[in-house]
Amino acid sequence: MSSAGPEKRAAELRRVIEHHNHRYYVLDDPDVSDAEYDDLLNELRDLEAEHPELRTPDSPTQRVGGKPLEKFVQVHHLQPMLSLANARNEEELRAWDARVKDLADLEHVRYVSEPKVDGLAISLVYEDGVLTRGATRGNGEIGEDVTQNLRTIKALPLRIEDAPPLVEVRGEVYLPRSAFARLNEQRAEAGEPTFANPRNSAAGSIRQLDPALAAARPLSVWCYGIGKTEGLRHETHAEELAWLEAAGFKVTPDWKRHDGLEELVAECRRWEEDREGLDFEIDGVVVKVDDLDIQRSLGVVGREPRGAIAWKFAPMTVTTTLRRVMWNVGRTGHMVPFADLEPVQVSGVTVKLATLHNEEDLRKKDVRDGDEVIVMRAGDVIPQVVSPTPKAQRRRKRAKPPEPPATCPACGTETVKPEDGVWTICPNRASCPGQIFQAVKHFVSKGAMDIDGFGEKQAQRFLADGLIGDVADIYELDEERLVGLDGFGEVSARNLLAAIDGSREVPFFRVLYALGVPGIGYVNARALAAQFRTMDALMAATAEDIETTDGIGPVLAATIVETLADEATRDLIERLRRHGLQMEQEGPPPGSDGKLTGLTFVLTGTLPDLSRERATEMIETAGGKVTGSVSKKTSYVVAGADPGSKLAKAEQVGVAVIDRDTLLELVESGPPSQGDG
Ligand code: IVH
């Protein structure tokens, strides 16, 4: 290869890979399979290994890697990173609007609204289109250089096309809620301390000296503005956002321009109503004057520009008195502390109880009976005690740190603290009513068997009335026993039984998760099912075998083997098997050939009696891939009623279009081989 050859190829690979990153991480609409993507990345890696001089800082191979730093270098921001004044209610927003109009001497001012993302503020400097520096906000003047860690965020472009000599992009790094829940679950399973909220975990990940740790967290970013620029000028904030979008950034979603204040207030209220449904946390809405000249002319008071304001949602934290710490027993037997509080209103709801998570968290927070504490309530999740107030800490002569109880609060059995364990537990796993209740609650819950209409209340009732004694009994419930129970008519009984029946189809990895074996959380259940394929193979595995599973260390492996060897666990598994629950992973083992291996599908329109999720699951189970847009590499477009533009695209590119029934045939028997004609 001539010296121009590899250089050109490397540049092309970088461009193509970043294009795919953008499709996947920003647009959520990939157009190649994971394998194709990996091939491109590997080709680039090989090329750079052979020609190290071709390795540029904006190369996608540089996203992961780099050595851990000794410490972060402090950097001066090119322009100060300011803060926002708050409007806590409609009156304050109206007062701000009136002042803006008054100072600008205008009757009419246009605004832009955006969600105020609760994460970590960052500044990204692009010089001649290449990301050269990423920094935290710090004190607004000086931040920390976290470029290495920010490079690991795939939603951030490392290079932008047609770029000006200099542009500084501002944004907020966050961890999606779903990823946060998984991360905490994994940490808890591994006996590591959990994060209090997604914001802390995002900030903690970016402020790690080892970039490999940041790379391991599925962080993302919302960009919301532009700081210093050279060779780039916009008239309005809306233009800035549009420019960012076109340059490939992930811009705060659903930003809007508003001509009137009424519309703006309605938008702020809408965000407040919708916030719980988002996969990222927001704590308000940012309102900015759209016209940048007006914004600048309004100036800055202290550290707050007059041309923008944050509409803050009703606070979700309050202070109250912790009457005392009480204890419950958790699903795997560990003692769970919770707070008995002086009743208090938090965002419209009276809170009397709040969780303190676990023994270790309790110790870290150092709360004691009688403390004044900060309590937080967010959405449907159980309110939690955040910390004692500083005042409470100063007044400490009094209560001792709370200790876990000597006997189980649910069954009275003496508690134990295993030598190598972090939690105090109730050893009565088989018959402690507290543990059984928690186990049933977990078994029927969303990520597990997902039995609609079976929640905490039903679990409590059925156990108390002796209708069930454990999770396997759920499959022996019948109409006769249900009808007549308070709140159950024929219809609701039938619905519940249908939901129970439907759960027999729940895939094996979720059955494994539903069992509630210590050490087998959602993530580990997935990994174990993928590796061992069947319940029998898993039960026959040794700790050494299990240790080879991704993410499972020797301690967890030993716990898993011990629990699975337990006679009570084995009995339960056998009974569930007899009730028809899935004990085998569907589909071909990873890496082997499935009926649809190597084929890529695009779904469009509504398929009769087949949800998009189910169709995707079926295709993937058979080894195929589902992507969001049609290209020459698409094998089939599956079209239903009211297909979108993808159908036209398929016809244009010449990709085969099939209907639902043909898809089902393909899943069943694979594509016709060449000779079949
Ligand atoms: S604009 C003058 N827009 O909120 C400050 N900030 O106090 C310009 N934030 O930590 C900030 N979402 O990182 C702006 N859509 C958004 C935002 C946003 C979150 C954060 C920002 C800063 C704080 C402002």
Side-chain angles (χ1 to χ4, degrees):
M1 222 185 284
S2 74
S3 72
E7 191 174 343
K8 227 171 117 197
R9 180 64 185 153
E12 180 180 342
L13 284 168
R14 281 200 283 274
R15 205 180 43 71
V16 174
I17 293 168
E18 286 303 336
H19 160 83
H20 293 316
N21 276 341
H22 183 246
R23 299 282 314 209
Y24 189 93
Y25 292 100
V26 180
L27 304 181
D28 196 13
D29 186 16
D31 56 3
V32 286
S33 68
D34 293 0
E36 283 169 283
Y37 177 89
D38 290 344
D39 285 348
L40 293 168
L41 200 60
N42 286 333
E43 186 185 344
L44 182 59
R45 270 201 199 106
D46 292 347
L47 205 57
E48 288 178 348
E50 220 174 290
H51 305 273
E53 73 283 1
L54 296 181
R55 193 173 288 142
T56 56
D58 66 327
S59 174
T61 59
Q62 302 306 295
R63 285 195 185 270
V64 193
K67 292 201 192 75
L69 300 172
E70 297 268 306
K71 65 179 177 60
F72 290 118
V73 174
Q74 303 223 314
V75 291
H76 276 267
H77 292 301
L78 305 180
Q79 243 175 36
M81 291 184 78
L82 301 174
S83 331
L84 290 169
N86 291 336
R88 281 160 303 176
N89 49 45
E90 192 174 327
E91 289 71 61
E92 292 186 0
L93 188 71
R94 285 186 185 281
W96 172 76
D97 164 64
R99 194 164 156 70
V100 165
K101 287 176 177 155
D102 184 38
L103 287 170
D105 200 15
L106 287 168
E107 270 180 28
H108 191 86
V109 174
R110 189 153 55 188
Y111 298 115
V112 171
S113 67
E114 299 157 26
K116 185 168 185 299
V117 182
D118 198 8
L120 179 76
I122 51 151
S123 143
L124 302 155
V125 177
Y126 289 82
E127 290 172 277
D128 294 322
V130 178
L131 173 64
T132 51
R133 191 185 87 183
T136 61
R137 178 175 185 279
N139 65 8
E141 301 286 338
I142 298 175
E144 284 175 330
D145 186 332
V146 289
T147 316
Q148 280 215 88
N149 290 344
L150 292 176
R151 277 213 183 100
T152 67
I153 302 177
K154 301 229 183 54
L156 273 183
L158 298 178
R159 160 186 285 279
I160 46 183
E161 302 295 327
D162 305 320
L166 177 78
V167 56
E168 185 203 353
V169 176
R170 301 270 171 94
E172 196 87 358
V173 170
Y174 72 98
L175 190 70
R177 280 184 169 166
S178 46
F180 166 75
R182 300 269 145 86
L183 175 68
N184 258 358
E185 190 195 314
Q186 261 180 320
R187 292 176 69 91
E189 295 281 344
E192 293 170 26
T194 51
F195 288 110
N197 52 49
R199 205 191 72 79
N200 287 8
S201 63
S205 310
I206 289 299
R207 301 199 65 265
Q208 293 279 359
L209 291 164
D210 182 357
L213 293 171
R217 308 257 165 90
L219 295 166
S220 193
V221 66
W222 290 117
C223 296
Y224 56 69
I226 293 180
K228 174 131 179 105
T229 58
E230 275 168 26
L232 185 70
R233 222 188 129 71
H234 297 111
E235 307 267 315
T236 64
H237 180 58
E239 277 174 22
E240 285 187 336
L241 296 178
W243 183 88
L244 286 170
E245 245 157 30
F249 290 92
K250 209 172 135 206
V251 171
T252 40
D254 289 327
W255 61 270
K256 285 195 185 82
R257 279 216 245 201
H258 305 277
D259 279 318
L261 197 71
E262 303 312 318
E263 192 190 302
L264 177 62
V265 171
E267 178 71 356
C268 290
R269 296 203 193 287
R270 181 194 66 78
W271 275 113
E272 186 153 8
E273 259 173 43
D274 291 351
R275 67 188 297 199
E276 295 307 338
L278 306 172
D279 196 28
F280 50 96
E281 297 209 322
I282 64 175
D283 59 349
V285 180
V286 183
V287 181
K288 299 169 187 170
V289 170
D290 189 29
D291 188 305
L292 295 177
D293 277 338
I294 302 179
Q295 235 190 55
R296 270 185 290 270
S297 74
L298 289 167
V300 177
V301 216
R303 308 211 51 78
E304 295 163 359
R306 283 206 195 85
I309 196 162
W311 163 289
K312 291 285 264 196
F313 298 147
M316 294 198 295
T317 60
V318 285
T319 43
T320 186
T321 305
L322 168 65
R323 287 177 177 154
R324 66 194 177 105
V325 172
M326 317 231 311
W327 296 84
N328 222 330
V329 58
R331 158 165 77 82
T332 47
H334 51 272
M335 295 296 117
V336 183
F338 65 97
D340 171 19
L341 302 168
E342 208 61 72
V344 62
Q345 288 271 322
V346 196
S347 41
V349 172
T350 307
V351 172
K352 291 183 227 162
L353 299 175
T355 175
L356 279 157
H357 299 295
N358 56 47
E359 234 176 299
E360 167 145 337
D361 214 40
L362 174 68
R363 195 167 36 242
K364 270 203 318 209
K365 285 179 178 157
D366 192 26
V367 285
R368 318 220 182 148
D369 292 356
D371 272 358
E372 185 181 72
V373 289
I374 298 171
V375 175
M376 179 167 85
R377 175 184 167 267
D380 304 335
V381 297
I382 308 163
Q384 56 168 314
V385 174
V386 180
S387 64
T389 63
K391 195 166 101 199
Q393 277 161 324
R394 280 198 303 277
R395 279 199 310 207
R396 284 265 163 77
K397 326 190 227 356
R398 27 128 230 121
K400 287 206 283 297
E403 289 290 336
T407 56
C408 171
C411 68
T413 307
E414 257 178 54
T415 60
V416 289
K417 184 153 186 168
E419 237 171 72
D420 51 354
V422 264
W423 323 123
T424 304
I425 61 165
C426 161
N428 181 16
R429 187 171 149 79
S431 51
C432 168
Q435 289 183 56
I436 293 172
F437 166 63
Q438 300 291 349
V440 172
K441 217 171 88 179
H442 170 72
F443 186 84
V444 298
S445 69
K446 259 206 161 10
M449 303 308 283
D450 193 10
I451 302 179
D452 219 23
F454 201 141
E456 184 165 341
K457 257 198 226 131
Q458 287 74 17
Q460 218 151 22
R461 278 275 299 291
F462 296 166
L463 284 165
D465 292 357
L467 259 65
I468 59 172
D470 64 16
V471 299
D473 291 343
I474 292 173
Y475 295 90
E476 278 166 31
L477 285 170
D478 57 30
E479 207 174 311
E480 202 180 314
R481 268 180 278 189
L482 285 178
V483 176
L485 279 186
D486 211 17
F488 272 98
E490 252 170 60
V491 177
S492 49
R494 247 178 246 159
N495 286 345
L496 180 64
L497 291 172
I500 293 172
D501 195 33
S503 74
R504 291 186 166 94
E505 299 304 316
V506 160
F508 169 54
F509 87 88
R510 276 171 48 194
V511 174
L512 187 54
Y513 168 61
L515 284 176
V517 172
I520 308 189
Y522 192 87
V523 178
N524 289 348
R526 252 199 132 101
L528 287 167
Q531 175 157 345
F532 292 94
R533 317 287 308 164
T534 70
M535 186 63 99
D536 291 331
L538 180 63
M539 289 198 297
T542 64
E544 288 74 35
D545 297 335
I546 291 181
E547 250 183 77
T548 62
T549 307
D550 241 7
I552 300 186
V555 178
L556 277 194
T559 313
I560 293 169
V561 169
E562 193 184 318
T563 314
L564 289 179
D566 191 51
E567 206 165 325
T569 314
R570 294 202 158 218
D571 274 357
L572 185 68
I573 292 173
E574 281 326 304
R575 285 170 57 217
L576 291 173
R577 192 197 300 270
R578 265 183 270 131
H579 286 303
L581 273 62
Q582 302 295 315
M583 295 289 163
E584 280 184 22
Q585 183 82 343
E586 252 186 63
S592 84
D593 278 355
K595 289 268 186 312
L596 302 182
T597 300
L599 299 180
T600 305
F601 292 76
V602 173
L603 306 173
T604 180
T606 314
L607 303 175
D609 293 327
L610 183 62
S611 73
R612 202 165 265 257
E613 290 72 33
R614 181 66 195 136
T616 305
E617 200 178 294
M618 277 166 38
I619 294 170
E620 288 178 349
T621 307
K625 283 261 171 238
V626 178
T627 69
S629 60
V630 181
S631 74
K632 282 197 206 115
K633 293 184 187 136
T634 310
S635 320
Y636 295 97
V637 169
V638 188
D642 300 323
S645 61
K646 291 171 189 168
L647 182 58
K649 179 81 194 283
E651 281 158 5
Q652 185 195 333
V653 188
V655 171
V657 177
I658 58 171
D659 61 9
R660 166 194 179 269
D661 292 346
T662 314
L663 171 67
L664 297 185
E665 277 166 32
L666 284 181
V667 169
E668 201 51 42
S669 343
S673 61
Q674 298 284 318
D676 284 0

